[in-house]
Amino acid sequence: MFAYTVRRVIATIPVMAVVALFVFSLLYIAPGDPAAIIAGDQATPEDVERIRESLGLDRPFLLRFTEWLFRVLQGDLGVSIFTNLPVSHMIQQRLEPTFSLMALTLVIALSFAIPMGVLAAWKQGTWIDRLVMVFAVMGFSVPVFVVGYVLAYTFALQLDWFPVQGYSPLANGFGGWLSNLMLPAIALGSAFIALIARITRATMLEVLSQDYVRTARAKGVGQRSVLFVHALKNAAVPIITIIGIGFAALIGGAVVTESVFAIPGVGRLVVDAILRRDYPVIQGVVLMFSFTYVIVNLIVDLLYTVFDPRIRY
Amino acid sequence: MSTTTLPTDGFTPAPELADVLPPRKERSRLGMFIHRHPTIAVGGFMVIMFILMAIFAPLLGTVDPTALAPAKRTRAPSEIYWFGTDMLGRDVYSRVIYGSRISLIIGFAVAFLSAVIGLFIGLISGFIRSVDAVVMRIMDGIMSIPSILLAIAMMALTRASVENVIIAITIADVPRVSRLVRGVVLTLREQPYVEAAIASGTRMPTIILKHILPNTFAPVLVLATFLCASAMIAEATLSFIGAGTPPIVPSWGNIMAEGRALWQVKPYIVFFPALFLSITVLSVNLLGDGMRDALDPRMAKRI
């Protein structure tokens, strides 16, 4: 197990290196002159030259990349063109709302999706099953920000159950934190619920047809115990795999959700940076989120052995 | 002895089959198809309706979707302005109808381009081991960047245009197709019929084109359909946060982006494009689901 963990950790290094190289090369791959585009339409030639220098576009690619990589490894993501503050600092200040949103979304998504998937598999072919599947297709098809607006309009504007927009830090009390994040988390979770419910149903159907489930039933194990203990335990690996893969969509969705609900998180930071063409900030956020995604999937890989002791490496 | 009159030795003869079985339903070929694949039929029909709507946009009672009328701004939906007007007095109905063109163009272009490029990369890395190691590391790397963020980074470096949105979304999607194709190729090349072709001296290009390529079409078609749907959402998302098509273009994402500031008081500006986008994406997803189940139920695991 230890050797496997070490091997898996080492295996993420080339992936992260490719991510860094790709994100860095975007400046060079982009058609046209990125310095001129970042500077904007009203920029003087001096402005463009200054930005070109600050991005290091005037120096050779490999030299620039090595320098940049070493600084990234030390946690230095460069300096914002707009505020002149270190990007890593700007991101750090906005981590709490984003991670709060993602954590609550995961909790909500899992507590809805898994029972839904199990129920659909148990009642396969009935209207309950069909209802879950219809919801699954809808969840994929309706964009996160549309769900967000519908929820905000109904439950915040019309019914006044939740605040319309904004964020209240956890330090100011759990109640305010939760009521502010509830609608954003449900909106962000809708696609995720669909994804997980679908996989749970498919895997459960497969597991329920296995011999040991029949044996469990034959020896008189109750329905609930069969579903949630015997079957769900064996369906865990595909479910956590899809959570890992779906995490990318969760990150992308968080960026949009934060814009809809005016949550001052990392996603909002990147959206503001687009309008200001503040590329170092965008680059920093993309790197941070991509590394998070790689690490989440590393954890998922390591969890396999916990959930399924039959997997040995 | 005749076959119609059975010997009556105390037994009642069995009734003729026609009396027992219900009469066979006569279905046309189209009827058969709809009966067998309802999801393809519903999804396909809705997609065709949206394509017709995009093509015949000028004939559907629309006015110029970019025409400004500041005096008539933010009108509520009425008989003249079916979906109301936006902040600059533009007719939201016309913008939504014309917006279907942008969504469909971007969806189809991304699906087509990523399918073609992904097929090419996947075929090569499935066959050439040395290329495979390098290419798949690069693909893993790109897939590790959440696709919306990758597109945001690319759009921040280029001028806003429909072409650049297509390129940005395609780059994020190519690895998904090439991974799928590579997987199919690796399974196929171990098949006896491919081994036989190699043993009988068939040249590599012929094997790839005649024996491998046709077998990758079905899964690629299904994946491309899903990519088409997700590209429509991606375009709307990018435009919504200001990193997509230029604001002058009446795309569904742009209409919603403009309605954003007013959504609490004039929710209809956001509502109508959102509704159209959701239904279009839903129809394309239904079509994809149906095709996947029809072509190969086992594929559900891979896509």
Side-chain angles (χ1 to χ4, degrees):
Chain A
M1 180 62 202
F2 178 72
Y4 171 70
T5 310
V6 172
R7 241 186 307 138
R8 275 300 290 128
V9 172
I10 292 174
T12 58
I13 294 173
V15 177
M16 291 206 191
V18 171
V19 170
L21 182 65
F22 194 80
V23 170
F24 182 80
S25 325
L26 282 179
L27 267 174
Y28 295 84
I29 304 172
D33 180 1
I37 288 167
I38 290 170
D41 293 334
Q42 274 103 47
T44 61
E46 289 80 49
D47 287 341
V48 176
E49 226 23 69
R50 193 173 48 80
I51 283 170
R52 196 189 309 280
E53 230 170 86
S54 77
L55 292 170
L57 284 170
D58 51 344
R59 282 179 298 148
F61 176 82
L62 270 181
L63 183 75
R64 251 299 283 159
F65 178 64
T66 334
E67 271 179 27
W68 175 81
L69 193 64
F70 269 102
R71 274 193 280 137
V72 168
L73 289 176
Q74 288 161 8
D76 176 6
L77 293 172
V79 172
S80 154
I81 294 176
F82 190 77
T83 60
N84 268 325
L85 290 168
V87 173
S88 50
H89 189 66
M90 292 171 79
I91 293 178
Q92 246 170 34
Q93 283 181 328
R94 286 161 172 262
L95 277 181
E96 193 207 301
T98 304
F99 278 116
S100 302
L101 174 63
M102 285 185 173
L104 189 64
T105 304
L106 270 179
V107 171
I108 291 178
L110 287 178
S111 45
F112 276 95
I114 292 183
M116 271 168 71
V118 171
L119 195 67
W122 174 28
K123 303 273 181 193
Q124 190 202 358
T126 63
W127 63 271
I128 300 178
D129 182 23
R130 254 175 241 132
L131 197 70
V132 170
M133 290 310 280
V134 166
F135 177 82
V137 183
M138 300 268 280
F140 278 130
S141 307
V142 185
V144 171
F145 52 102
V146 173
V147 183
Y149 277 127
V150 171
L151 290 177
Y153 188 79
T154 324
F155 296 104
L157 276 185
Q158 300 297 317
L159 295 172
D160 204 19
W161 289 356
F162 298 98
V164 182
Q165 285 179 324
Y167 176 74
S168 154
L170 197 52
N172 293 0
F174 182 74
W177 177 84
L178 190 67
S179 71
N180 266 295
L181 280 181
M182 208 57 200
L183 292 181
I186 297 173
L188 180 53
S190 61
F192 219 54
I193 293 175
L195 190 70
I196 301 171
R198 208 169 155 139
I199 281 288
T200 307
R201 176 185 175 274
T203 325
M204 285 293 284
L205 280 179
E206 211 176 291
V207 175
L208 286 175
S209 68
Q210 300 282 319
D211 286 342
Y212 60 79
V213 171
R214 196 170 46 188
T215 309
R217 291 219 163 103
K219 72 175 186 187
V221 177
Q223 183 65 262
R224 193 178 310 166
S225 184
V226 165
L227 286 175
F228 286 94
V229 180
H230 289 76
L232 191 58
K233 225 171 163 182
N234 285 288
V237 167
I239 297 173
I240 57 171
T241 308
I242 207 74
I243 295 173
I245 295 170
F247 205 79
L250 192 66
I251 292 171
V255 173
V256 188
T257 312
E258 286 179 11
S259 287
V260 172
F261 289 96
I263 297 169
V266 186
R268 193 62 200 272
L269 180 69
V270 81
V271 172
D272 291 344
I274 296 166
L275 304 177
R276 299 168 183 163
R277 299 244 176 213
D278 196 345
Y279 191 68
V281 172
I282 297 176
Q283 198 180 41
V285 173
V286 172
L287 263 187
M288 193 273 295
F289 272 140
S290 305
F291 285 172
T292 313
Y293 181 50
V294 173
I295 291 166
V296 164
N297 278 289
L298 170 69
I299 297 170
V300 163
D301 263 16
L302 297 178
L303 278 178
Y304 284 169
T305 47
V306 178
F307 280 94
D308 193 344
R310 283 170 303 183
I311 298 177
R312 287 265 170 263
Y313 299 96
Chain B
M1 196 169 67
S2 92
T3 47
T4 44
T5 52
L6 292 159
T8 48
D9 48 357
F11 297 100
T12 34
E16 281 187 32
L17 278 177
D19 298 331
V20 180
L21 293 172
R24 217 179 133 224
K25 255 190 200 164
E26 287 296 324
R27 278 205 178 92
S28 65
R29 286 179 78 165
L30 184 69
M32 276 296 274
F33 182 81
I34 294 172
H35 183 69
R36 274 198 194 150
H37 308 292
T39 16
I40 301 187
V42 174
F45 174 75
M46 280 169 23
V47 170
I48 291 170
M49 292 310 286
F50 274 106
I51 293 173
L52 291 177
M53 188 178 97
I55 294 173
F56 297 108
L59 305 175
L60 294 170
T62 54
V63 295
D64 179 1
T66 54
L68 306 179
K72 293 169 186 154
R73 63 177 183 270
T74 62
R75 291 279 169 87
S78 64
E79 260 172 47
I80 316 163
Y81 305 108
W82 290 355
F83 296 174
T85 60
D86 68 5
M87 264 189 289
L88 300 168
R90 292 172 295 195
D91 179 33
V92 176
Y93 168 72
S94 306
R95 291 176 71 70
V96 168
I97 297 291
Y98 275 94
S100 62
R101 290 185 170 182
I102 310 295
S103 266
L104 288 173
I105 287 172
I106 288 178
F108 285 127
V110 168
F112 179 74
L113 287 176
S114 33
V116 171
I117 303 171
L119 259 174
F120 183 73
I121 295 178
L123 282 176
I124 289 183
S125 73
F127 264 96
I128 309 169
R129 287 266 154 86
S130 52
V131 177
D132 186 41
V134 179
V135 168
M136 281 303 131
R137 286 298 83 71
I138 298 175
M139 294 297 141
D140 283 350
I142 300 177
M143 274 169 89
S144 303
I145 307 172
S147 48
I148 282 292
L149 285 173
L150 180 61
I152 288 175
M154 303 223 12
M155 291 311 293
L157 291 172
T158 51
R159 304 230 171 265
S161 72
V162 173
E163 293 81 21
N164 284 340
V165 171
I166 293 174
I167 294 171
I169 304 174
T170 303
I171 288 181
D173 283 346
V174 162
R176 284 163 239 286
V177 183
S178 36
R179 271 224 159 271
L180 175 76
V181 174
R182 173 182 173 270
V184 175
V185 171
L186 288 183
T187 338
L188 286 176
R189 53 182 283 173
E190 304 300 326
Q191 297 285 313
Y193 79 92
V194 176
E195 279 174 7
I198 297 174
S200 59
T202 317
R203 288 173 60 248
M204 241 342 149
T206 318
I207 292 179
I208 295 181
L209 288 179
K210 284 219 161 141
H211 299 298
I212 305 284
L213 190 64
N215 286 303
T216 60
F217 283 155
V220 168
L221 183 69
V222 174
L223 181 57
T225 312
F226 289 126
L227 290 181
C228 173
S230 72
M232 289 176 181
I233 294 190
E235 182 276 325
T237 308
L238 287 173
S239 300
F240 180 74
I241 58 179
T245 48
I248 182 82
V249 175
S251 87
W252 290 335
N254 276 336
I255 308 171
M256 286 186 267
E258 283 147 20
R260 226 172 110 182
L262 289 174
W263 77 272
Q264 297 193 21
V265 273
K266 312 271 177 200
Y268 52 83
I269 306 179
V270 173
F271 175 76
F272 287 107
L275 184 71
F276 275 69
L277 173 66
S278 306
I279 296 176
T280 312
V281 174
L282 181 69
S283 358
V284 179
N285 273 337
L286 279 179
L287 188 63
D289 268 358
M291 288 200 303
R292 182 190 56 203
D293 296 343
L295 288 170
D296 180 6
R298 280 167 302 169
M299 217 152 68
K301 285 256 167 79
R302 269 189 279 177
I303 296 178

